[in-house]
Amino acid sequence: PTPSSASSEAQGRRHGRRGGGGKDKGKGTQGRRGRGKGKGKRGGPADSALKRPFVLRTGPENVIWTSGKGGVAFANQTWFDGTKCFVKTLPLSGATDRAIYELDREIAVYDWLKPVQGTAVPTVLSVSEDHGVPLLFLRDEGYAVATRRGYDKFLSLGLDAAKGRACKALEMIHKLGVVHGDVALRNIVVNDDGQVKFIDFGQSLAHDGKDEELREKFAAKMKSEMADLSMTIDKCFEKHMNDSIRHRK
């Protein structure tokens, strides 16, 4: 679902008045100067095809929003009830039925993983929606290993501890019948205490274990995924070792 033209026009008029009292009529773009009939400094969203960065959206009053970049689905750092978190959502321009379905599906997987939230996956603080677009609030659980800070913290654990903690977290996920689907370094986070968790379940598969044939297929997928994770971490440490040797030379 996307905002109706009527609500879009209402938003346009509201943003136009906020800028300088002009009547935008929903034909402005969200930028420094609206292009509607009004002369407000901020035009309003015109329709669902609007291309713009994610700057501010209406949401729960206990959320402090910060700026972020638009995309098909993205996580934007913010605060929820005084807790540092990320909100995963869609820009209005990217809120197609398919994109909304995929984000709803990820929310369902996090709910399925509720027993291991805070230990193997981030804690879900809240689930909400804005103009029919889902908002998934996740506690900030650390740094992605694909970032410099996360990479350094992950390496500081040592190969055995890093691999052991990551594999343990993935094993907990697997025991609940979920295959992550993308165990890349960008989807592994490590915090200051050395805890390792997995994020981004957009490509995950889940089952309840009742179908024997499906259970066998999932078991094979889980075994393959665990091997992929082990190989990914080995390559990460091997690259670091090679880089260190090269720098010494």
Side-chain angles (χ1 to χ4, degrees):
T2 55
S4 66
S5 58
S7 64
S8 296
E9 287 181 10
Q11 292 167 19
R13 287 194 296 272
R14 183 171 67 251
H15 288 305
R17 285 199 299 271
R18 185 179 298 166
K23 293 184 179 179
D24 194 327
K25 294 188 178 179
K27 295 182 180 179
T29 56
Q30 182 134 341
R32 296 204 172 184
R33 290 200 172 272
R35 296 184 182 178
K37 294 182 179 180
K39 295 181 181 179
K41 291 183 180 178
R42 193 179 188 188
D47 52 44
S48 61
L50 188 64
K51 299 288 189 293
R52 60 177 174 78
F54 176 83
V55 178
L56 178 67
R57 292 249 296 278
T58 15
E61 292 181 358
N62 53 352
V63 177
I64 300 173
W65 297 89
T66 55
S67 61
K69 295 181 178 178
V72 176
F74 63 96
N76 187 38
Q77 194 174 58
T78 184
W79 293 83
F80 186 92
D81 272 347
T83 302
K84 191 177 179 182
C85 70
F86 284 89
V87 55
K88 190 163 186 178
T89 186
L90 299 161
L92 296 182
S93 58
T96 62
D97 288 344
R98 178 66 184 176
I100 290 173
Y101 166 77
E102 289 177 352
L103 186 50
D104 276 335
R105 189 166 165 271
E106 182 171 7
I107 290 170
V109 172
Y110 271 109
D111 188 59
W112 193 301
L113 293 171
K114 190 175 292 184
V116 296
Q117 286 183 18
T119 52
V121 303
T123 300
V124 175
L125 298 174
S126 179
V127 176
S128 181
E129 70 171 40
D130 171 29
H131 294 95
V133 178
L135 299 163
L136 172 62
F137 294 89
L138 299 166
R139 186 188 299 276
D140 183 353
E141 301 283 5
Y143 316 97
V145 178
T147 65
R148 171 52 59 185
R149 195 165 182 178
Y151 180 73
D152 290 342
K153 285 189 175 295
F154 196 62
L155 293 174
S156 70
L157 298 176
L159 176 60
D160 291 341
K163 186 189 289 189
R165 293 176 193 184
C167 289
K168 178 64 176 177
L170 187 61
E171 183 183 7
M172 293 170 74
I173 293 167
H174 285 171
K175 282 184 176 179
L176 290 174
V178 175
V179 174
H180 184 282
D182 186 13
V183 289
L185 296 180
R186 64 181 175 274
N187 294 327
I188 303 171
V189 295
V190 57
N191 65 14
D192 292 327
D193 296 326
Q195 292 179 306
V196 178
K197 301 180 181 72
F198 285 85
I199 60 172
D200 197 348
F201 288 83
Q203 298 183 40
S204 297
L205 300 172
H207 80 107
D208 57 12
K210 294 179 180 178
D211 186 298
E212 185 176 349
E213 184 178 350
L214 191 60
R215 189 167 61 245
E216 291 177 358
K217 289 181 179 179
F218 266 72
K221 286 181 181 291
M222 290 172 181
K223 184 177 180 180
S224 174
E225 185 168 74
M226 189 66 78
D228 288 344
L229 175 63
S230 180
M231 186 182 302
T232 296
I233 295 173
D234 283 339
K235 286 182 178 178
C236 173
F237 276 81
E238 184 180 347
K239 179 181 181 302
H240 173 65
M241 193 188 318
N242 291 338
D243 288 344
S244 299
I245 292 171
R246 194 158 39 246
H247 286 313
R248 287 197 206 106
K249 291 180 179 179

